[in-house]
Amino acid sequence: MEDDERAYRVVRNDEEQYSIWAAERAVPRGWHAEGFTGTRPECLAHIDEVWVDMRPLSLRRAMDAAG
């Protein structure tokens, strides 16, 4: 994987969880392109920057509602 120079895109699902997906492939159902494309390490670095709360959105909402 270290010599993988393919383009990837950062994708996010409705629970605001992130992953990467090969740029030449259609984004899978339930996921949306997040707007960042690059090499695998670049995409993973981007996710490290933007995914600051690993809890799923539904859990965050439930915790907020509980007080």
Side-chain angles (χ1 to χ4, degrees), residues 2-17:
E2 292 175 14
D3 58 350
D4 183 1
E5 292 299 321
R6 291 181 293 172
Y8 289 87
R9 75 178 86 216
V10 175
V11 294
R12 186 178 67 201
N13 65 18
D14 292 337
E15 286 286 340
E16 295 185 355
Q17 297 168 309

Side-chain angles (χ1 to χ4, degrees), residues 6-53:
R6 291 181 293 172
Y8 289 87
R9 75 178 86 216
V10 175
V11 294
R12 186 178 67 201
N13 65 18
D14 292 337
E15 286 286 340
E16 295 185 355
Q17 297 168 309
Y18 288 82
S19 188
I20 63 172
W21 196 252
E24 73 271 5
R25 298 182 67 195
V27 175
R29 180 175 289 162
W31 294 83
H32 312 281
E34 198 264 343
F36 186 91
T37 303
T39 63
R40 179 182 173 86
E42 290 169 339
C43 287
L44 293 175
H46 176 74
I47 290 172
D48 279 344
E49 290 178 23
V50 298
W51 197 5
V52 295
D53 190 340

Side-chain angles (χ1 to χ4, degrees), residues 53-67:
D53 190 340
M54 303 287 277
R55 297 174 299 163
L57 180 61
S58 58
L59 176 60
R60 294 192 318 260
R61 287 181 175 162
M63 292 178 77
D64 288 346

